[in-house]
Amino acid sequence: KKLSCVKAALKVLTDSGQPMNAQEMIAAMTEAGLWESPGGKTPHATLYSAILRDMKRGDESRFVKTERGRFTARA
């Protein structure tokens, strides 16, 4: 079963332990075979937007912003 884009991003962030930007996450997810773009031109923009929406949940968010444009998984 394929993971959703956000869940694949969480797995990549958790596995790497390093902050990443959306384009790095997309590349790592594709390379690991966790997720594949359904043909969109800007999957990194879609992922970035989904992460920002998730972060609006505050302490419930699965992501932490480490610096401008870079995120890590909440421990």
Side-chain angles (χ1 to χ4, degrees):
K1 183 175 179 277
K2 286 278 187 199
L3 295 172
S4 73
C5 185
V6 173
K7 286 184 178 165
L10 269 173
K11 177 153 179 47
V12 164
L13 287 172
T14 304
D15 291 351
S16 80
Q18 299 293 321
M20 297 172 122
N21 67 32
Q23 285 182 312
E24 292 166 342
M25 285 184 250
I26 294 288
M29 288 156 39
T30 306
E31 197 175 298
L34 296 172
W35 181 84
E36 202 173 288
S37 174
K41 289 185 177 20
T42 56
H44 59 278
T46 305
L47 175 59
Y48 186 83
S49 171
I51 290 171
L52 291 182
R53 273 195 312 274
D54 189 88
M55 289 185 69
K56 286 185 179 170
R57 294 167 42 199
D59 291 341
E60 305 259 316
S61 174
R62 298 169 285 181
F63 297 92
V64 178
K65 192 172 196 172
T66 58
E67 58 187 275
R68 185 174 175 204
R70 297 183 83 74
F71 304 92
T72 188
R74 187 176 297 276

